[in-house]
């Protein structure tokens, strides 16, 4: 792991040296190309001469070392993961080694990858699980509680005020609350599912996604299970874990809490939908299927 980080840093150092050497030949400037922002997302590319020197051309490691020398209380760790490499246990071990010695009440964690999407989000999910364990060990409340419905009562008085509910009444209350919570989760899942399907359909008419789901109830149920991550291989793995279903609910809560850029669970379904909507002649189909498999591994 450390050898790969050192290799990348050596490449960055050579690139920095090449930039400075080129700038020296052109009077302290190099030719860069800037993309102009546009509503379509594809702006014009404009060549620009940019002034550079040793003060504004730094590698990632040099930049953070400079900030630390200026008094910023920061530490820099590099755990390189290429986009095509599966995230294996050794990466989680590397995260744990860094995070376990930090104070969860005083230390903030910032992650960054090349695109700032999938690998960054995965690291955020893993770190959130570790931070939760740290907080619970300190006696702090659970930051990601898996809600369980309980009905409590105070001891009653002789006048009958605040008397405990009848066991059957309490059971009905608990059942009603659990059903309401499950219905709320189902409604949210259906809304997100409709949105995903609409985004994947080549025809962007929102009505087409709704009509497709209404006319095919079996498809709707299968997609709903997929959206909640209830794949066969996942459910079989849960059977091998103590408190497997509760652990999945916890991970799902953290995934949903860190989905500002991408949702790791929805990525699986998004790739699978795109694969289903491609024809046999389209070369992108196999790419979508590989993407779904990699997303499922995460």
């Amino acid at each position: 792991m450390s050898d790969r980080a050192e290799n990348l840093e050596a490449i960055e150092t050579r690139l920095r040296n090449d930039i400075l050497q080129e700038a020296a030949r052109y009077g302290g400037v190099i030719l860069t190309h800037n993309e102009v922002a546009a509503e379509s997302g594809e702006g014009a590319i404009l060549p620009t001469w940019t002034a550079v020197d040793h003060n504004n051309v730094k590698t990632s490691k040099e930049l953070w070392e400079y900030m630390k020398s200026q008094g910023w209380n920061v530490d820099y760790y590099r755990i390189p993961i290429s986009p095509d490499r599966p995230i294996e246990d050794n990466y989680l071990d590397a995260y744990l080694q860094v995070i376990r010695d930090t104070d969860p009440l005083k230390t903030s964690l910032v992650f960054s990858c090349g695109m700032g999407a999938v690998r960054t989000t995965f690291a955020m999910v893993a770190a959130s699980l570790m931070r939760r364990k740290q907080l619970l060990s300190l006696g702090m409340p659970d930051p990601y509680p898996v809600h369980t419905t309980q009905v409590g009562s105070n001891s009653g008085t002789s006048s009958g005020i605040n008397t405990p509910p009848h066991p059957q009444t309490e059971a009905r209350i608990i059942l009603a609350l659990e059903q309401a919570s499950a219905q709320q989760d189902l409604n949210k899942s259906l809304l997100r599912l409709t949105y995903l399907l609409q985004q994947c359909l080549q025809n962007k008419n929102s009505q087409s996604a709704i009509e497709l789901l209404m006319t095919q109830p079996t498809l709707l149920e299968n997609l709903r299970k997929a959206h909640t991550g209830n794949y066969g291989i996942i459910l079989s793995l849960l059977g091998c874990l103590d408190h497997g279903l509760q652990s999945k609910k916890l991970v799902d809560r953290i995934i949903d809490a860190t989905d500002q850029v991408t949702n790791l669970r929805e990525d699986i379904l998004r790739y699978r939908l795109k694969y289903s909507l491609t024809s046999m002649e389209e070369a992108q189909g196999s790419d979508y299927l590989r993407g779904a498999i990699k997303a499922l591994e995460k």
Side-chain angles (χ1 to χ4, degrees):
M1 190 80 67
S2 60
D3 291 341
R4 293 192 62 247
E6 293 173 357
N7 291 341
L8 290 175
E9 288 163 0
I11 294 172
E12 291 176 350
T13 300
R14 290 198 297 271
L15 176 60
R16 180 205 60 193
N17 294 337
D18 290 342
I19 292 173
L20 294 175
Q21 290 174 7
E22 181 176 341
R25 292 197 299 268
Y26 294 98
V29 295
I30 62 171
L31 184 64
T32 60
H33 294 79
N34 298 328
E35 182 177 357
V36 180
E39 293 183 358
S40 63
E42 298 180 358
I45 305 297
L46 300 180
T48 307
W49 288 100
T50 303
V52 299
D53 56 29
H54 288 84
N55 295 321
N56 61 8
V57 180
K58 299 181 183 295
T59 66
S60 298
K61 184 178 181 180
E62 291 171 342
L63 175 61
W64 289 107
E65 289 176 346
Y66 171 77
M67 294 185 65
K68 194 173 184 68
S69 69
Q70 296 298 306
W72 292 91
N73 186 18
V74 294
D75 291 303
Y76 169 72
Y77 299 92
R78 190 164 195 166
I79 305 173
I81 306 175
S82 64
D84 298 329
R85 180 183 292 273
I87 303 177
E88 299 172 345
D89 291 346
N90 57 330
Y91 294 107
L92 294 173
D93 293 338
Y95 294 152
L96 178 60
Q97 186 175 359
V98 172
I99 297 173
R100 65 182 177 185
D101 296 327
T102 62
D103 187 340
L105 302 179
K106 298 180 179 179
T107 308
S108 298
L109 304 174
V110 180
F111 297 91
S112 176
C113 66
M115 298 300 294
V118 176
R119 288 168 291 168
T120 294
T121 304
F122 178 88
M124 291 169 61
V125 171
S128 297
L129 287 168
M130 298 176 196
R131 272 289 162 89
R132 174 181 178 270
K133 177 63 176 178
Q134 290 178 315
L135 292 173
L136 292 179
S137 298
L138 295 175
M140 303 293 290
D142 191 343
Y144 303 101
V146 178
H147 296 295
T148 55
T149 305
Q150 296 180 351
V151 177
S153 60
N154 298 324
S155 58
T157 63
S158 59
S159 62
I161 300 175
N162 292 331
T163 56
H166 190 277
Q168 293 183 353
T169 303
E170 181 176 351
R172 286 196 296 269
I173 295 174
I174 293 175
L175 179 60
L177 291 175
E178 289 179 345
Q179 289 176 344
S181 177
Q183 186 62 45
Q184 183 179 19
D185 292 340
L186 175 61
N187 294 340
K188 181 179 178 181
S189 175
L190 291 176
L191 288 173
R192 291 291 302 173
L193 178 59
T194 305
Y195 173 78
L196 285 175
L197 186 57
Q198 175 187 337
Q199 296 298 310
C200 294
L201 287 174
Q202 295 183 6
N203 179 7
K204 296 302 182 180
N205 182 2
S206 60
Q207 190 67 22
S208 62
I210 298 175
E211 289 177 348
L212 180 62
L213 294 175
M214 291 182 62
T215 56
Q216 300 189 42
T218 302
L219 174 63
L220 172 60
E221 179 61 19
N222 290 337
L223 290 178
R224 189 189 64 80
K225 291 180 180 179
H227 180 261
T228 55
N230 291 330
Y231 299 97
I233 188 171
I234 299 297
L235 295 178
S236 63
L237 288 174
L238 296 181
C240 301
L241 300 174
D242 294 335
H243 312 293
L245 291 176
Q246 185 176 1
S247 298
K248 183 181 181 302
K249 289 181 179 179
L250 170 63
V251 174
D252 284 338
R253 287 183 65 84
I254 295 178
I255 288 175
D256 292 337
T258 56
D259 66 350
Q260 290 80 6
V261 177
T262 187
N263 186 296
L264 297 180
R265 190 178 59 254
E266 291 181 356
D267 271 354
I268 308 170
L269 181 57
R270 183 180 290 106
Y271 278 114
R272 187 62 179 85
L273 286 172
K274 290 182 177 179
Y275 170 75
S276 300
L277 295 171
T278 56
S279 62
M280 296 296 292
E281 293 78 16
E282 294 184 69
Q284 284 184 319
S286 58
D287 295 335
Y288 290 144
L289 188 58
R290 282 193 296 269
I293 294 173
K294 290 179 181 178
L296 183 58
E297 288 179 350
K298 295 183 180 69

